[in-house]
Amino acid sequence: MKVKLALHSQIFIALILAVAAGTLSGTEAEILGIRWLSLYEFLGTLFLNALKMLVVPLIVSSIICGVMNLSGGDNLRKLGLWTVTYYLGTGLIAVAIGVALVNVIEPGIVDGQPAREVIGLSEDTATVTERVQGRDAGDVVAIFLRMVPPNIVAAAAEGQMLGLIFFSLLFGFFISRLGRDDLRTAQRNFWQGLYEIMMRITDLVIRFAPIGVFGLVAAVAAKTGISAIRPLAWFMVTVLSALAVHMLVVLPACLVVLAGVSPIRHFKAVAPALLTAFSTSSSSATLPLTLECVEERAGVSNKTSSFVLPLGATVNMDGTALFECVAALFIAQAYGLSLGLGEQFAILLTALLTSIGVAGIPSASLVAIAVILTMVGLPLEGLGLILAVDRILDMSRTAVNVFGDTCGAVIVARWRGETNVLQPQPASSA
């Protein structure tokens, strides 16, 4: 009898093979004159580009469909209130966990002295400093300005998700307010049709996820290796421990208490999205698969998922906010600086704000960290301390971001009275 592995099992196997292949080949090994690293990067980039190709039309069509199908302004206001309440609540918990652990573990102190004197600075410090030089609190204001783009076409071309989401919310709302039935029906049919087409294309792309994941992770393993990780072990332990507490304790507790559903069943339902998020380090690129997992495997309605998930992929960054907090306090410790409760609280709030609107692409939070460092007076060159391990931590915090989004969709769906969420499926449907 022919046995077909589930998608998440295929991706998991691809992850293991990728780590082994990348570590063994390194950056210089060749086959027929072609470096293995180039082959890894080709496979990974091709898959990532295919996912990014889907993001803009999928986000726009899903939000417009979700909003225009809500009956009445009260429903939209309630859905928005529930979603924002969940995002703010879990975000605050995430950064609080980060602040607590970084103060307990003190990763910036090595053998009783600041880590800078032990570790040294990365060779790329000057480049990073030049890239983020001059950023200040005005970048926080810019987050709100990006909500209303002067050119929606340019916003789509540049991948400015906040502007697209705001425009799509307005567009979907006023479709439902069209006075003429023929115009309203025509718009509903067009956008629903576009959404269905995008989901079918997504199904096609996702079939190649194991190959794409292999390329992405193998390239990281080949470039990073083990030597760059060892000097920053305690920083990694702090970040990963905080992320684990949030993902394995806080969010599952929210599923049980707020939604009354099984966390284990939820993990199984969204496993393909989590593994893809981990390998791509991009919540935006993972969004097509996240939508599919939440709707098809978790049983959340399109009305809920099409509103909560695209919004969450842009504004709900629990893992990113947590990482920014830990990184800023780690850098302060590494430079021998002692921050009081007031300064740490300022970092906590700034991390929560700057995580909103951070581009859902690899290492985008480095720029947000620069904003925090400038606002609290820490040296920007401290970014060089975390560059060596950022890629691995970026993969981990992206998985937490996506998991938080999926939990939000399930919780909001249950609050809305949906009864099919995470219900056992018949054996024949496997």
Side-chain angles (χ1 to χ4, degrees), residues 251-263:
L251 293 177
C254 289
L255 288 173
V256 173
V257 175
L258 301 178
V261 297
S262 167

Side-chain angles (χ1 to χ4, degrees), residues 80-391:
L81 179 62
W82 288 333
T83 303
V84 171
T85 299
Y86 166 80
Y87 287 162
L88 287 178
T90 55
L92 282 170
I93 294 173
V95 291
I97 292 171
V99 170
L101 284 185
V102 79
N103 279 289
V104 170
I105 298 176
E106 293 189 328
I109 307 298
V110 179
D111 296 330
Q113 57 183 329
R116 182 188 181 189
E117 300 175 13
V118 177
I119 301 172
L121 292 176
S122 169
E123 295 179 357
D124 295 329
T125 296
T127 302
V128 176
T129 303
E130 181 180 354
R131 188 172 67 225
V132 300
Q133 191 72 43
R135 294 185 176 273
D136 53 26
D139 286 344
V140 178
V141 177
I143 292 173
F144 297 96
L145 292 178
R146 286 199 296 270
M147 289 181 62
V148 187
N151 187 328
I152 192 62
V153 177
E158 296 168 6
Q160 296 180 12
M161 293 297 105
L162 272 181
L164 285 176
I165 288 174
F166 183 72
F167 176 83
S168 300
L169 289 172
L170 289 177
F171 199 95
F173 177 77
F174 284 104
I175 285 179
S176 65
R177 293 298 182 273
L178 283 174
R180 288 173 51 181
D181 290 341
D182 57 334
L183 294 178
R184 186 167 60 251
T185 301
Q187 285 291 320
R188 287 179 184 273
N189 291 339
F190 171 79
W191 290 107
Q192 190 63 45
L194 177 60
Y195 176 75
E196 295 293 338
I197 292 170
M198 294 312 303
M199 289 303 294
R200 287 173 180 256
I201 298 176
T202 299
D203 289 339
L204 175 64
V205 172
I206 296 308
R207 292 179 187 177
F208 298 93
I211 299 175
V213 165
F214 174 85
L216 289 164
V217 177
V220 173
K223 292 177 182 177
T224 304
I226 304 298
S227 59
I229 299 175
R230 288 173 181 164
L232 292 167
W234 280 113
F235 173 64
M236 292 187 64
V237 166
T238 305
V239 174
L240 293 176
S241 298
L243 292 174
V245 169
H246 191 66
M247 183 174 182
L248 302 178
V249 178
V250 174
L251 293 177
C254 289
L255 288 173
V256 173
V257 175
L258 301 178
V261 297
S262 167
I264 296 177
R265 190 170 293 157
H266 181 69
F267 269 111
K268 291 180 179 178
V270 301
L274 297 182
L275 292 171
T276 303
F278 179 80
S279 58
T280 62
S281 297
S282 174
S283 53
S284 293
T286 309
L287 182 58
L289 183 56
T290 308
L291 280 164
E292 183 177 59
C293 287
V294 169
E295 291 183 18
E296 301 298 328
R297 296 164 65 94
V300 176
S301 71
N302 174 255
K303 289 183 180 180
T304 301
S305 64
S306 62
F307 180 90
V308 176
L309 291 177
L311 189 63
T314 302
V315 305
N316 184 43
M317 299 287 184
D318 292 354
T320 298
L322 185 156
F323 171 77
E324 290 172 9
C325 251
V326 173
L329 293 176
F330 164 74
I331 290 172
Q333 293 174 357
Y335 277 93
L337 302 176
S338 178
L339 300 181
L341 290 177
E343 290 86 354
Q344 293 193 31
F345 184 71
I347 289 177
L348 185 151
L349 289 181
T350 307
L352 190 59
L353 284 175
T354 54
S355 68
I356 298 174
V358 167
I361 58 176
S363 298
S365 57
L366 288 177
V367 175
I369 294 174
V371 176
I372 299 174
L373 296 182
T374 303
M375 290 183 69
V376 298
L378 293 172
L380 284 177
E381 66 173 0
L383 281 172
L385 290 171
I386 61 176
L387 282 176
V389 295
D390 179 68
R391 176 62 174 167

